[in-house]
Amino acid sequence: MKNIVVLVSGQGSNLQALIDACEQGRIHGKIRAVFSNNANAYGLERARDAGIDAQSVDAKAYPDRNAFDAALAQAIDAYQPDLLVLAGYMRILSSAFVQHYAGRMLNIHPSLLPKYPGLHTHRLALENGDSEHGTSVHFVTEELDGGPVILQAKVPVFAEDDEHDLIDRVQVQEHSIYPMVVDWFVAGRLQMRDNAAWLDNQPLPAQGYAAD
Ligand code: GRF
């Protein structure tokens, strides 16, 4: 069984989708631990409810980002992770941290990357009058929200939508695609090579896997 460690900062609805998928045998791996930079993250409670080790690490206890990330990495590595999954983890990562987990760290970002890296993606999609929005699962590299995309899911944007409508619609898709991609990884089907995502020994296009 491959070891998975998940990082959260907030609600943890994507974490819950991963926990459920592991319990239902849709992910052939085990979530060994969940870490958060926020002691009040509801995601930590979800983990504990599922019997998973859950810990918060307080950034205020460290002099700078590198020291915090080094301590976090040390705590994570005690679980010997094959895969590190960012699920709503809202801290910028140091280069050393990204390099340490290169090729074995995934993130989910609520936009159709490369559109809208960073924050407030749903608001931007609404403000720009986009007719579609969505979410992307990608490998994490040093470029913020810029690593190779593995899989995207699109949702329509309706004229009467507000930001919450769109967040909810995107999250439904996130909960379906993130467990699928995590399983591809733990099954050994997915790799990052030469800054590209490869699935079943085929390089994926820039927008990730696209079913025919
Ligand atoms: C998700 O929408 C994800 O795309 C983004 O942060 C949000 C986290 O939500 N990175 P949750 O904590 O999983 O509910």
Side-chain angles (χ1 to χ4, degrees):
M1 234 358 151
K2 290 279 168 66
N3 295 334
I4 302 167
V5 171
V6 183
L7 303 189
V8 298
S9 296
Q11 276 302 307
S13 69
N14 280 284
L15 167 66
Q16 189 65 56
L18 297 170
I19 291 171
D20 293 347
C22 288
E23 285 176 355
Q24 294 160 10
R26 287 182 286 120
I27 292 177
H28 299 84
K30 191 161 170 52
I31 302 175
R32 299 285 174 191
V34 173
F35 289 90
S36 180
N37 59 319
N38 168 15
N40 298 318
Y42 184 54
L44 291 173
E45 219 170 299
R46 294 182 190 268
R48 291 184 188 119
D49 284 350
I52 298 167
D53 285 0
Q55 296 174 34
S56 66
V57 183
D58 182 2
K60 290 198 285 299
Y62 299 91
D64 56 32
R65 187 176 305 285
N66 284 333
F68 172 84
D69 276 3
L72 179 61
Q74 198 177 13
I76 291 170
D77 287 351
Y79 292 91
Q80 301 186 306
D82 298 290
L83 175 65
L84 184 58
V85 176
L86 309 185
Y89 184 65
M90 299 304 287
R91 260 182 81 84
I92 303 274
L93 304 171
S94 61
S95 303
F97 189 93
V98 173
Q99 280 164 23
H100 182 66
Y101 296 106
R104 53 186 177 125
M105 177 160 50
L106 302 177
N107 184 40
I108 190 157
H109 179 76
S111 79
L112 298 171
L113 290 170
K115 217 169 181 182
Y116 309 140
L119 297 173
H120 310 304
T121 59
H122 309 88
R123 195 182 308 165
L124 290 168
L126 289 171
E127 283 171 3
N128 290 331
D130 293 356
S131 60
E132 60 179 19
H133 186 49
T135 185
S136 307
V137 180
H138 64 95
F139 279 108
V140 177
T141 62
E142 289 193 47
E143 192 187 338
L144 180 71
D145 301 322
V149 172
I150 301 157
L151 185 61
Q152 294 186 322
K154 292 180 182 171
V155 301
V157 181
F158 300 117
E160 62 277 17
D161 279 345
D162 66 17
E163 210 175 330
H164 293 288
D165 296 324
L166 206 46
I167 289 172
D168 291 349
R169 196 171 305 129
V170 166
Q171 282 217 328
V172 170
Q173 296 303 318
E174 293 191 329
H175 302 160
S176 136
I177 68 170
Y178 214 3
M180 196 187 310
V181 173
V182 166
D183 191 52
W184 288 348
F185 189 93
V186 296
R189 297 178 56 193
L190 178 66
Q191 288 96 28
M192 185 170 81
R193 286 183 214 151
D194 304 327
N195 207 40
W198 289 63
L199 181 66
D200 296 335
N201 291 314
Q202 301 289 328
L204 293 174
Q207 75 280 14
Y209 178 81
D212 289 331

